[in-house]
Amino acid sequence: MSAVRRHPIITFFVLTYALTFLGGWALYAAGVWPIPFFTAGPLLAALIVIPITQGWAGLRELGSRMIRWRVGWIWYAVAIGLPLGILLVTVGLNVALGAGAPSLAQVGPLSTIIVVFAVRLINPLDGPLGEEPGWRGFALPGLQGAGYSPLLATLILAPLIAVWHLPLAFFGGMKPLDFLGPIAFTFVATWLFNHTGGSVLMTLVMHAAEGTIRPNDLWAAGAAQVQAGLLYSVVWCAVAIGLVIFDRQLWRGPAPARATVQPAYGGESRVR
């Protein structure tokens, strides 16, 4: 317990990987999970580490971040509109590079899209709710509270999140260049998180919007689909690089006070 309190971020990632990989294998072997990869690993790891390192105050703070909705309407537009805009740019580029017209047959009507988005928001076994409380609810504010600038904190966090996705290369169909997507998304999520006063809700909304319609759903298997996946990662990277270049002041730090957490190793947390 003393080691956990001294190294909360390291403990969080060790637990996250163990719950995701080993827990996923156990569930898969038991026949209750489709692949040996448990998506809710970051969520469960955060719920284990926070009470130990920050006490009940830390859990209350995580809950507060999860429902922090008073951020201004513009950030709701960004959280939903940015993934949609990236998808549209990807479609346009793919068609311009020779792919056929996209098909909405696998996407379904607008009502289906809204239902998929809503379910992704509240389903702890899906990516958004299974990941965001861990990555942005615990790890990012912990790193920023430890004195790391937003840029350095994200440079630490992004490759760790990319490695967490590694089993999907074997069981989920992820290709090597697809790992650029989670890295780029981590930068965009840090930018949104810090601009909204540490709102996990906003990153959760953006994460849910990002996967509601996937570019791979718009083309049948083949060169056009592969090209769409590659372009999607490239466009996300371009957005992330643009945010770092054109909003340099945010990245240099220090992070906004409401987007940081300083653990106090005695049971309570000092939330700034």
Side-chain angles (χ1 to χ4, degrees), residues 122-254:
I122 63 174
N123 181 10
L125 300 180
D126 201 352
L129 191 54
E131 297 180 47
E132 291 305 317
W135 306 145
R136 259 63 67 173
F138 178 75
L140 179 58
L143 287 168
Q144 293 184 152
Y148 295 101
S149 69
L151 180 59
L152 184 54
T154 306
L155 287 172
I156 294 171
L157 195 56
L160 290 171
I161 294 175
V163 169
W164 179 78
H165 286 83
L166 186 60
L168 295 180
F170 304 98
F171 306 105
M174 284 189 72
K175 299 174 180 60
L177 289 177
D178 291 340
F179 286 89
L180 292 174
I183 292 174
F185 185 89
T186 303
F187 279 85
V188 178
T190 294
W191 176 81
L192 181 63
F193 180 82
N194 284 349
H195 269 298
T196 55
S199 173
V200 175
L201 176 62
M202 287 297 97
T203 64
L204 176 59
V205 169
M206 183 171 70
H207 199 152
E210 186 275 327
T212 297
I213 303 176
R214 299 173 299 175
N216 290 353
D217 294 334
L218 302 177
W219 285 274
Q225 187 184 78
V226 173
Q227 182 174 267
L230 173 60
L231 289 171
Y232 193 57
S233 295
V234 169
V235 176
W236 269 104
C237 288
V239 170
I241 292 171
L243 292 177
V244 172
I245 292 175
F246 295 108
D247 198 0
R248 291 188 294 273
Q249 185 174 355
L250 176 133
W251 296 98
R252 291 172 180 169

Side-chain angles (χ1 to χ4, degrees), residues 29-44:
V32 298
W33 198 250
I35 60 174
F37 180 86
F38 187 52
T39 315
L43 169 63
L44 294 180

